Every structure is written in C-alpha cells, then in structure tokens.
C-alpha cells in the first residue's frame, strides 16, 4: 500500500482499499508505466442516477492557510472526468452481468475531501513514501499531513466514513485511488485532457487483479468519485501535471446479499478496448517468483468468480490470439497458488485469475521501446476458454472473446 516515490521510473500508481463487514479491511496498489501519449478512445457510457440528493455538498472554498497566508483553500473536483469514471466502471459491471452503479452524493463528498488532502500534500512537498489511503502525520512532512492538512477528515478510510456518518459502511465499502504523473518536454502539458486520463486510469484499474476484484463486488450499487489535477511541488507547470482519482463504491441494505448466478468473469463476451499490459501491482500477484512486471508485464488478466460456490478448480485453460493464430501461455492464480495466503489479500477459494504471460510477444509500438513485450497485441481479439469444477461435483465449460484497445507502453 505504500508508494515509494524515490523510484523515478514509476510513472503511475494505483491503490485499492476494501472494507467489508465480514472480513474487516484490506488494501492493494498497482502501477503502470505511461507517458503523455495516452489512449484517446473513450468507451460510450450510460448515464447514472444520483442518490442522496439532500446530502450536504462540500463548499467551493474552505477556511485555511494558503501559501502561508490566511486565505481560503479552493476545493477542486473535475466533474466531467469524475462522471466518466463512474460511468465506465458501471458499464464494465453491467456488460458482464452485474448491477450498475448509481452516483451517491455522500460518497462523492468523501472522495472529494480525500482527493484534496492528497493534492495538498503533493503541491506542498515531495514525499519519499506515501500511503494515499491514510491521512496520518508523516515525520518529514508533518506540516502538511495529518491534522495539519486543512482537508484532513480521518486517518483511515473507515474513520472518514464514520466522521461523515455514512450509513452504508456496515454493508461494505471499497476505495480505489489512482495518481498518474505526466511529463512532456514540449511544454504543452495542458494538451493532456482530464477525461482521457480518467479513461486510462479506469482501464488500468480493471487490469490489476486486486483492484478488479473490488470493482466487481456483486453487492455494490452506489459510487462516488473525485478527479483533480495539479502541478507537483517544485515542478514547471508547463511540463508536469499530476492527477488524483478517488473512487468509492458501496452496497446498501437492499443489495448487500446480491449474488451472481453461475460463473462470473471479467472480461466477458463482447468486452472491448481493454488495456494490453499490467506493469505493476501491490500486492504483487507474482510475489516470490522474481518476476519484475515493469520489465516483463503480462496481458489483461481474466477474473473468475463463482459467488455461490465454496471452492472452484480451474483447468484446461486456452488463451488464443485470433488474428495471429497463436496460443498465449498462462498462469493460474487461485487459493492453491496464492502468494498472499494468510494475509489480508488472500484470495477466496471460489475466485481465480488467469494471467496471460506475454514474454515472447513483440507487442510494443513505441519506437523508443527497447523491449518487445508490452503485454497483449493492441486492437486484437482473444478467445478464452476454461473448465471450472464447482464444489468438486459440478464441471462447467466457459468460453468468450474480448478485444484489446491501444497498446499501453
């Protein structure tokens, strides 16, 4: 969960915390190398409905010191980008058979407050290590962290929910945070559009196993998001621009027991425009193997969940590139091969991931790339099939086709 800022090659980081009534809290993070040439293809998104319309909205300004003066601090939130995030997550769920998400103004407010906390830290200092889910005091930047930060609302995610009096905490709430960093030597950083960045962040979260799990909880029905941008501390505003995405999802008393019949997968039949590669995630799905995802990424993972089962066994896996007529090697990640067994990140026995190993592929397109592996090939169809034995007595076969989008190298 801790992002080590000293690694300058780590250009984008993702984090996820999951709070569930049955098992308490957990956390995860992922990252993916990017440059300022981003995917410009956005999926169409369905319009979401808003709940809790009476929820108190955050003011546009709050009292507090700004640059050493007693001036109000501006609360920032890029609403179009935030709505795009909500829509794309909701659409990814509904395309694969889960219920969609409605915008919850209370979750929006909690996300906005926390996003501005993170923004205040990174516009005022350059942390060496920073956990974006915590609002704790950090020794070397104590003046802008903890209660000294004017946007402070609680050390942990649960504290912030309790302070806000959020009523659905008891039914299960998840938090995903992304903080991509953009740089261009051309001095035209303003050409990077918030909606394009938001789209890229969602696609990356949907390719990071431990984040994907939290975004595909069947019981979730509400969401709230904040997206904000800023020039990092000490950097030139023409060359550098960072973004923060904070997304919350929650179940309600009505949806808390929602289940999915049969076998759920993401991607599923007809999903398009996935990213091609996963470059990093914490907890690392390859922990203990020596594999460095930044140098040897994998393709879009396949998430398998049978909520009604106690345990599953996945076998006979085929991951096939339709255009090139080649099979992609895979690794199965489940409770039997779980590198995080007996930790907060342990996979349940009824979930698994198929991880495509793309080491042998020459999938990069950028001329500057020294390596050939950028995950799966771009704009390509992949057929996935496998058998799943449910509770040792029910064998089912599954097959579907999905399509990647632009290469994310």
């Amino acid at each position: 969960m801790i992002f080590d800022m000293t690694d300058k090659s780590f250009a984008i980081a993702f984090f996820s915390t999951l709070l569930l009534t049955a098992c308490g809290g957990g956390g995860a993070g992922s990252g993916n190398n990017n440059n300022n040439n981003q995917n410009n293809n956005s999926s169409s998104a369905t319009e979401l409905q808003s709940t809790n319309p009476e929820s108190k909205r955050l003011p546009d300004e709050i009292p507090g010191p700004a640059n050493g003066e007693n001036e109000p601090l501006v609360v920032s939130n890029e609403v179009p980008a935030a709505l795009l995030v909500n829509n794309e997550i909701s659409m990814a769920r509904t395309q694969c058979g889960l219920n969609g998400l409605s915008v919850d103004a209370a979750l929006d407010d909690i996300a906005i407050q926390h996003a501005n906390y993170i923004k205040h830290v990174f516009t005022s200092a350059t942390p060496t290590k920073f956990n974006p889910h915590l609002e704790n005091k950090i020794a070397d930047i104590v003046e802008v962290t903890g209660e000294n930060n004017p946007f402070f609302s609680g050390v942990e995610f649960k504290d912030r929910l309790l302070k806000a009096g959020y009523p659905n905490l008891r039914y299960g709430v998840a938090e995903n945070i992304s903080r991509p960093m953009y740089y261009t030597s051309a001095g035209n950083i303003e050409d990077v559009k918030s909606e394009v960045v938001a789209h890229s962040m969602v696609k990356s979260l949907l390719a990071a196993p431990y984040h994907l799990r939290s975004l595909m909880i069947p019981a979730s029905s509400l969401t709230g998001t904040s997206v904000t941008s800023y020039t990092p501390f000490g950097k030139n505003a023409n060359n550098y621009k960072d973004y923060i995405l904070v997304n919350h999802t929650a179940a309600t008393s009505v949806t808390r027991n929602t289940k999915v019949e049969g076998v759920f997968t993401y991607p599923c039949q007809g999903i398009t425009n996935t990213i091609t590669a996963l470059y990093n995630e914490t907890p690392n799905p390859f922990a203990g193997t020596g594999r460095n995802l930044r140098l040897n990424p994998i393709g879009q993972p396949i998430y398998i969940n049978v909520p009604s089962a106690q345990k599953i066994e996945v076998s006979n896996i085929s991951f096939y590139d339709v255009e090139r007529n080649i099979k992609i090697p895979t690794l199965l990640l489940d409770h039997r091969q779980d590198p995080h067994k007996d930790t907060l990140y342990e996979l349940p026995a009824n979930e698994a991931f198929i991880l495509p190993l793309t080491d042998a592929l020459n999938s990069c397109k950028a001329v500057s790339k020294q390596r050939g592996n950028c995950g799966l090939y771009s704009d390509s169809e992949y057929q996935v099939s496998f058998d799943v034995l449910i509770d040792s007595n029910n064998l089912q076969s599954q097959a579907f086709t999905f399509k990647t989008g632009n290469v994310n190298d």
Side-chain angles (χ1 to χ4, degrees):
M1 289 179 61
I2 297 177
F3 179 24
D4 188 344
M5 297 295 295
T6 60
D7 188 345
K8 300 304 182 183
S9 67
F10 191 26
I12 183 168
F14 302 99
F15 304 85
S16 171
T17 288
L18 178 61
L19 296 177
L20 292 177
T21 306
C23 62
S30 90
N32 178 20
N33 292 335
N34 276 274
N35 54 34
N36 64 323
N37 296 318
Q38 296 296 307
N39 182 356
N40 290 298
N41 295 326
S42 296
S43 300
S44 60
T46 56
E47 184 175 351
L48 303 179
Q49 299 300 312
S50 178
T51 64
N52 294 348
E54 295 82 13
S55 173
K56 183 179 178 181
R57 304 302 301 171
L58 289 175
D60 292 334
E61 294 182 347
I62 62 172
N67 300 320
E69 302 176 1
N70 190 21
E71 297 177 358
L73 291 169
V74 176
V75 179
S76 62
N77 185 42
E78 302 189 22
V79 175
L83 288 175
L84 183 145
V85 171
N86 291 337
N87 285 330
E88 292 205 358
I89 294 173
S90 181
M91 184 173 64
R93 290 169 56 90
T94 58
Q95 284 181 314
C96 291
L98 299 181
N99 55 276
L101 303 174
S102 297
V103 175
D104 185 339
L107 286 180
D108 269 348
D109 286 349
I110 298 167
I112 292 168
Q113 185 85 6
H114 187 54
N116 280 270
Y117 175 96
I118 299 171
K119 176 179 178 178
H120 185 73
V121 171
F122 282 94
T123 56
S124 305
T126 305
T128 54
K129 288 188 177 181
F130 182 75
N131 184 332
H133 292 289
L134 300 182
E135 296 187 3
N136 58 310
K137 288 184 179 179
I138 300 175
D140 60 344
I141 50 170
V142 66
E143 67 279 2
V144 294
T145 54
E147 294 181 358
N148 292 327
N149 187 310
F151 297 100
F152 175 83
S153 56
V155 173
E156 297 184 354
F157 181 34
K158 185 175 182 180
D159 298 331
R160 299 190 289 274
L161 293 167
L162 288 171
K163 182 177 180 180
Y166 189 64
N168 294 312
L169 171 59
R170 71 189 73 177
Y171 306 122
V173 182
E175 178 177 76
N176 284 274
I177 297 175
S178 172
R179 197 181 73 84
M181 294 161 276
Y182 288 79
Y183 167 78
T184 176
S185 59
N188 58 344
I189 197 66
E190 289 303 318
D191 290 347
V192 178
K193 303 302 181 184
S194 297
E195 290 86 346
V196 175
V197 175
H199 171 77
S200 177
M201 287 190 282
V202 171
K203 294 299 183 181
S204 294
L205 290 172
L206 291 171
Y210 293 95
H211 299 77
L212 176 54
R213 289 187 65 230
S214 71
L215 293 173
M216 295 295 160
I217 298 171
S220 296
S221 60
L222 301 176
T223 191
T225 298
S226 175
V227 174
T228 187
S229 62
Y230 61 93
T231 301
F233 179 74
K235 299 297 184 180
N236 189 313
N238 295 317
N239 303 105
Y240 293 87
K241 191 173 187 180
D242 293 1
Y243 287 82
I244 300 166
L245 180 158
V246 178
N247 172 260
H248 296 150
T249 52
T252 67
S253 60
V254 175
T255 65
R256 61 182 300 186
N257 295 317
T258 300
K259 300 292 184 182
V260 177
E261 295 297 328
V263 180
F264 172 83
T265 70
Y266 186 90
C268 60
Q269 178 62 40
I271 288 291
T272 60
N273 202 27
T274 73
I275 66 169
T276 61
L278 171 69
Y279 288 94
N280 194 57
E281 184 172 27
T282 303
N284 184 354
F286 289 90
T289 68
R291 186 185 186 96
N292 185 338
L293 284 172
R294 299 183 199 177
L295 299 176
N296 295 295
I298 63 170
Q300 168 73 48
I302 308 300
Y303 175 47
I304 304 169
N305 183 11
V306 186
S308 61
Q310 295 298 312
K311 67 175 183 177
I312 62 173
E313 296 180 27
V314 178
S315 61
N316 296 327
I317 298 168
S318 174
F319 204 113
Y320 179 71
D321 185 319
V322 177
E323 178 181 343
R324 296 164 188 84
N325 191 28
I326 57 174
K327 287 188 176 181
I328 310 299
T330 60
L331 177 72
L332 178 66
L333 175 61
D334 65 8
H335 69 285
R336 295 172 299 178
Q337 298 91 18
D338 188 355
H340 302 287
K341 188 176 288 291
D342 300 322
T343 73
L344 291 172
Y345 315 116
E346 182 175 13
L347 286 175
N350 64 344
E351 299 181 28
F353 287 93
I354 297 172
L355 307 177
L357 306 178
T358 56
D359 306 61
L361 303 187
N362 186 24
S363 51
C364 295
K365 288 189 174 181
V367 175
S368 61
K369 287 293 180 184
Q370 298 301 310
R371 66 182 187 275
N373 177 18
C374 287
L376 299 172
Y377 288 100
S378 63
D379 302 310
S380 299
E381 286 192 345
Y382 290 89
Q383 291 179 348
V384 178
S385 63
F386 58 90
D387 293 337
V388 55
L389 181 62
I390 301 172
D391 292 330
S392 302
N393 59 22
N394 179 10
L395 183 64
Q396 295 189 22
S397 296
Q398 303 290 317
F400 62 88
T401 301
F402 75 96
K403 187 175 182 179
T404 57
N406 291 345
V407 65
N408 59 306
D409 57 0

